[in-house]
Amino acid sequence: MAEPETNADDFLKDVIKPVLKDMAMDGAAAGKILMMTACHESMGFRYRAQVGGPALSYFQIEPNTLDDLYTNYLAYRPDKQALVDAYLPEGLDRLEALENDDKYACAVARMIYWRVPESLPAVTNDEGLAAYAKQYWNTELGAATAQKYLDDYRRYGPNPEPASWT
């Protein structure tokens, strides 16, 4: 297994918190579900590209999901597209940026969760957040379980957990 390229504490401090604040889409539950998703999907920040699949970034976003976000959601919400595109590095296309720029990937991931009509569970409801991730990120047909999201968050997530999350 590959060694982690980063760790949860640095990813939270350098990527999740500043991106969510800049987008004005922050909040403890939003930060926690993004961290939970990245911890699980990247196997503890080991993989920026899915082994044997098309998904990219620590969030493991598939190209079709990225295209759908832009075509069916952001195209009708230019203000939201501007928030995401503010992180798109000059000279990179969206897929290159997704794989190589953590802040762009975080902005995309936040917007994917933002478009879900159901509100995020409370930050103190770890089981609820894990079930939400399973339902809206992984889908019913995906191999992951809510318990696996929760276990991976507890294994790879920030330690100690930020006080603002409890």
Side-chain angles (χ1 to χ4, degrees):
M1 184 179 286
E3 287 298 314
E5 290 185 33
T6 190
N7 65 57
D9 296 316
D10 291 340
F11 196 72
L12 178 63
K13 176 179 62 85
D14 298 336
V15 178
I16 292 176
K17 283 188 173 188
V19 168
L20 294 184
K21 183 177 180 181
D22 288 349
M23 293 176 76
M25 294 180 156
D26 51 349
K32 193 171 196 177
I33 200 160
L34 288 173
M35 178 59 70
M36 186 179 284
T37 302
C39 286
H40 169 72
E41 296 290 342
S42 70
M43 295 182 69
F45 302 97
R46 287 177 172 80
Y47 298 103
R48 288 180 182 276
Q50 183 180 18
V51 177
L56 300 169
S57 84
Y58 288 139
F59 299 100
Q60 299 288 294
I61 299 167
E62 293 188 3
N64 288 342
T65 301
L66 182 66
D67 289 344
D68 179 70
L69 177 69
Y70 273 89
T71 301
N72 296 311
Y73 187 76
L74 296 177
Y76 302 100
R77 294 162 183 83
D79 58 325
K80 300 288 189 253
Q81 182 171 340
L83 292 174
V84 175
D85 286 349
Y87 291 96
L88 186 60
E90 191 173 324
L92 293 183
D93 68 32
R94 292 175 183 158
L95 288 178
E96 291 169 326
L98 192 61
E99 183 173 5
N100 298 298
D101 191 281
D102 293 337
K103 288 185 176 182
Y104 175 73
C106 184
V108 169
R110 180 62 184 114
M111 200 59 69
I112 291 169
Y113 275 123
W114 182 266
R115 76 188 281 200
V116 173
E118 183 180 335
S119 297
L120 285 168
V123 69
T124 55
N125 183 356
D126 287 353
E127 291 78 10
L129 287 166
Y132 191 98
K134 167 59 184 166
Q135 181 175 357
Y136 294 112
W137 197 268
N138 186 257
T139 77
E140 289 181 17
L141 301 177
T145 64
Q147 188 61 51
K148 183 73 169 122
Y149 274 93
L150 185 56
D151 291 346
D152 287 344
Y153 172 73
R154 289 178 175 161
R155 179 177 180 187
Y156 302 120
N159 189 14
E161 190 173 68
S164 64
W165 288 6
T166 57

